[in-house]
Amino acid sequence: MPHTAYFDDLETRSADQRQAEQAALLRTRLASITHAPADWRDAAASVQGPDDLVKLPVMRKSDLSAWQKENPPFGGIAVSNVAHVFQSPGPIYEPGGISHDWWRMGRFLHAAGIGKGDIVQNCFGYHLTPAGMIFESGARAVGAAVLPAGTGQTELQVIAARDIGTTAYAGTPDYLKVILDKAAEMGVTLKLSRAVVGGGALFPSLRQEYADRGIACLQSYATADLGNIAYESAAMEGMIVDEGVIVEILTPGTGNPVEPGEVGEVVVTSLNPDYPLIRFATGDMSAVLAGQSPCGRTNMRIKGWMGRADQTTKIKGMFVRPEQVAALVAKHPEIARARVVAKRDGQQDAMTVQIEAEGGDVQTYAASVVDTLKLKGAVEIVPVGSLPRDGLVIEDQRTYD
């Protein structure tokens, strides 16, 4: 079967068409959520499209975990078509469906060139967590067969790959090297030519090593709660946002979008009718990449994983959280942004709060620092625009060598 350029027509929609169609889906999903408090439903009723999501609060994993403890297993969220229930660390329980491409991973596998005639050696775990099923459903969506290999027993994996003739690998970036090295040690030649990876960092040197061995390796960004969020295509210029989600990049600790191109927390709204999650914070940092992918897919791109958004840091024995820094900024309209810097002063912790503002009174800000951060610290007023746009609101410069 010839491999068509795109998984479906959604990938090449115009920006206006995508905005209109996602807005309609979003309104439908919001209207279906009846478990939420009345004030949330009132705010949701005023949301007309993705740009209005800022009216709604951000949902964090800690919120979901608390809801699930109060109302197991899914926290009162109305789910449907549940075929599996998975458990992630926390614990947090996720529903899983078996309808076509329920996790939306087929789009990624298609972009990686996997389709009918391929056999995918799926080395993601099938035990409790959904990663194995996420990639299996994607393989099924593109018509590929699957060897449900899971992790471990590497020698048996090599034998199976040889005997079956697996053509593609799915799993963490580093485990493929373990399989290839074991195959070389055993004197076995494998037919693997493509790899789709996730769940860890794909370092450029490792990708190049796979390329040198004749394996094209692409990565996706997915979570157990949301399924596929973004993925690479053969162009390998950023990660293309999946068509079934709306992605926002927010200042950590707030519900407010960053300026275009700035680093912030990835917050995702899933349009899955079976399990709609609205403004779900991933805890990951990224930034929007300007322009459109050379591969012809037209959706927004992000730069990939750029660190964790939970910058909570213990200073002088007290936790300082991004939400507290956001509260400090909100307390003074003239403050553009703030950054907490933790250092060592001799054998003691020291905290400096850098404040972007056009003037202002240091003593007033210092009092607000104590009020919001519950700690005393030095205050520096710096020119607006001078702090790095790297997504950090708490920077830990301490070393313990």
Side-chain angles (χ1 to χ4, degrees):
M1 293 289 292
H3 191 81
T4 56
Y6 304 111
F7 185 70
D8 57 27
D9 292 339
L10 299 181
E11 295 181 353
T12 54
R13 289 182 287 184
S14 69
D16 289 345
Q17 182 183 0
R18 181 176 290 108
Q19 176 88 359
E21 292 174 353
Q22 287 191 339
L25 283 174
L26 177 61
R27 291 194 297 270
T28 300
R29 301 293 175 264
L30 292 174
S32 72
I33 297 173
T34 58
H35 65 276
D39 57 346
W40 189 96
R41 296 198 307 272
D42 289 343
S46 69
V47 172
Q48 295 300 305
D51 291 343
D52 292 333
L53 282 169
V54 70
K55 299 176 180 180
L56 300 175
V58 171
M59 180 200 302
R60 302 201 169 274
K61 285 182 181 286
S62 57
D63 298 326
L64 186 55
S65 179
W67 295 354
Q68 291 187 353
K69 285 182 174 64
E70 293 174 3
N71 192 355
F74 303 125
I77 297 175
V79 301
S80 55
N81 299 315
V82 178
H84 299 105
V85 179
F86 300 98
Q87 184 196 72
S88 293
I92 291 177
Y93 295 94
E94 298 100 5
I98 55 174
S99 58
H100 177 74
D101 204 27
W102 196 88
W103 303 94
R104 305 178 316 281
M105 192 55 71
R107 192 176 303 285
F108 170 46
L109 269 65
H110 183 91
I114 297 172
K116 291 182 179 178
D118 281 305
I119 303 174
V120 179
Q121 188 151 336
N122 187 3
C123 295
F124 280 107
Y126 280 79
H127 178 65
L128 287 181
T129 59
M133 292 302 298
I134 289 174
F135 275 79
E136 178 164 318
S137 71
R140 212 180 286 125
V142 297
V146 176
L147 171 67
T151 56
Q153 298 183 298
T154 306
E155 187 168 322
L156 289 178
Q157 298 237 19
V158 171
I159 293 170
R162 178 198 65 195
D163 293 349
I164 297 171
T166 55
T167 58
Y169 164 90
T172 57
D174 52 353
Y175 189 56
L176 175 57
K177 177 173 166 55
V178 175
I179 292 175
L180 295 175
D181 289 347
K182 176 60 72 172
E185 178 187 314
M186 295 168 62
V188 172
T189 300
L190 302 180
K191 295 181 179 179
L192 294 170
S193 63
R194 300 187 184 279
V196 286
V197 303
L202 174 60
F203 296 103
S205 58
L206 186 58
R207 194 201 301 257
Q208 186 58 52
E209 180 174 342
Y210 294 151
D212 293 342
R213 294 185 177 194
I215 300 172
C217 183
L218 298 178
Q219 60 185 326
S220 69
Y221 171 38
T223 73
D225 320 274
L226 298 157
N228 195 27
I229 298 170
Y231 61 98
E232 287 185 319
S233 70
M236 290 193 292
E237 291 190 12
M239 304 187 84
I240 303 160
V241 172
D242 182 74
E243 298 296 334
V245 296
I246 297 168
V247 168
E248 301 172 86
I249 306 294
L250 308 183
T251 301
T254 77
N256 303 320
V258 300
E259 294 297 320
E262 289 187 11
V263 179
E265 183 175 14
V266 179
V267 173
V268 180
T269 293
S270 169
L271 299 173
N272 183 346
D274 294 338
Y275 187 47
L277 289 177
I278 309 301
R279 299 200 95 195
F280 190 77
T282 64
D284 296 321
M285 302 278 277
S286 192
V288 172
L289 188 62
Q292 181 178 304
S293 174
C295 71
R297 293 172 176 85
T298 57
N299 207 354
M300 180 177 82
R301 297 177 296 165
I302 59 176
K303 293 183 179 180
W305 189 80
M306 300 177 71
R308 291 294 293 170
D310 184 7
Q311 300 159 26
T312 298
T313 304
K314 185 175 280 189
I315 306 172
K316 301 180 184 178
M318 296 286 289
F319 283 111
V320 178
R321 296 177 169 82
E323 293 84 354
Q324 293 171 287
V325 182
L328 171 65
V329 173
K331 196 168 185 177
H332 299 276
E334 73 276 13
I335 296 180
R337 64 181 66 218
R339 187 184 189 101
V340 171
V341 180
K343 300 180 180 179
R344 296 289 285 177
D345 182 5
Q347 299 302 314
Q348 295 182 322
D349 288 345
M351 182 180 76
T352 299
V353 182
Q354 298 175 320
I355 290 175
E356 276 193 8
E358 297 292 350
D361 179 63
V362 169
Q363 296 304 318
T364 299
Y365 294 152
S368 292
V369 166
V370 173
D371 185 46
T372 54
L373 274 58
K374 310 305 179 186
L375 285 172
K376 290 183 178 180
V379 172
E380 292 180 358
I381 300 175
V382 300
V384 173
S386 64
L387 292 179
R389 270 36 179 179
D390 56 7
L392 287 181
V393 294
I394 302 173
E395 179 183 1
D396 193 348
Q397 297 181 355
R398 295 169 295 184
T399 59
Y400 301 93
D401 300 334

